[in-house]
Amino acid sequence: MADADPWLVVGLGNPGPEYARNRHNVGFMVADLLAERMGGRFKAHKSRAQVVEGRCGAPGPSSRRVVVAKPGTFMNLSGGPTTALRDFYKVPVANIVAIHDELDIDYGALRLKLGGGDNGHNGLKSITKSLGAEYHRVRFGIGRPPGRMQVADFVLKDFSAAERRELDYFVDRAADAVETLIVDGLERAQSTYNS
């Protein structure tokens, strides 16, 4: 994989204001922060996604070309826009990063990995069906639903008031983890951010 190859960072979520603050949309939240850090604004792309193009890392030879994207489809159809963006920008699959909510990790904890299963996550299921499994994931813990609440209801609810107090910090940390992954590699990012 050449350093010249671009990276594609896909924040997973559902489009529309009614979903904007849902737990399921934490991938969009991290993508928004990454775009802000790159000084870019999302623009509509023919791939059915919103994209920002920029660079990640300190100016100079270590900086990387990055496309940050938010699919314009619902979560379970994320693979279509992701594949279209991969083809358009000629991104190797190993340079694709999906940022998503993860039920099996405590709220705010992060886990970075390359490849693996989808753990029932419809966004990952769709991307894996389109691209295979060998892309990077930044898994953002949202914890399990309380009591007998259904998983679908839990992920489509906004973060609780208590969770929101720390949300900006955790989103910031997830954006740092994505940048470290791209610039310094998976091992460095895992040793710094996996919890």
Side-chain angles (χ1 to χ4, degrees):
M1 155 175 79
D3 283 348
D5 286 331
W7 283 77
L8 172 60
V9 177
V10 182
L12 296 184
N14 286 312
E18 68 273 33
Y19 298 105
R21 304 306 293 168
N22 288 179
R23 292 181 176 93
H24 221 21
N25 273 41
V26 75
F28 276 14
M29 296 173 200
V30 177
D32 287 339
L33 181 56
L34 288 166
E36 191 181 304
R37 289 180 178 185
M38 292 189 323
R41 297 174 74 103
F42 281 99
K43 295 182 177 70
H45 189 270
K46 64 183 181 181
S47 62
R48 294 179 301 153
Q50 298 280 320
V51 301
V52 172
E53 298 178 49
R55 298 196 76 81
C56 183
S62 69
S63 116
R64 302 280 180 265
R65 242 175 84 215
V66 179
V67 178
V68 177
K70 297 192 296 185
T73 57
F74 281 95
M75 179 76 83
N76 60 338
L77 299 172
S78 301
T82 303
T83 302
L85 288 166
R86 178 207 58 186
D87 295 346
F88 182 84
Y89 289 103
K90 299 179 174 41
V91 179
V93 172
N95 279 23
I96 295 173
V97 182
I99 310 165
H100 64 93
D101 58 306
E102 177 62 63
L103 288 160
D104 289 336
I105 304 174
D106 290 341
Y107 173 61
L110 295 174
R111 299 260 169 79
L112 288 81
K113 67 180 199 166
L114 174 63
D118 57 52
N119 203 18
H121 193 287
N122 289 331
L124 295 181
K125 204 173 286 184
S126 177
I127 293 172
T128 298
K129 188 175 174 191
S130 298
L131 298 175
E134 290 308 304
Y135 56 92
H136 289 89
R137 297 99 190 275
V138 174
R139 302 159 70 203
F140 187 111
I142 60 169
R144 301 293 306 179
R148 296 180 179 209
M149 185 187 289
Q150 294 297 308
V151 165
D153 295 334
F154 180 69
V155 300
L156 294 176
K157 281 203 177 345
D158 290 359
F159 286 100
S160 70
E163 289 170 333
R164 283 198 299 273
R165 284 197 284 275
E166 296 181 294
L167 183 60
D168 287 348
Y169 168 77
F170 289 138
V171 167
D172 194 64
R173 196 165 177 273
D176 291 347
V178 172
E179 291 176 343
T180 302
L181 167 62
I182 291 169
V183 175
D184 298 322
L186 179 61
E187 280 184 32
R188 167 70 64 84
Q190 285 175 324
S191 66
T192 307
Y193 295 100
N194 275 13
S195 48

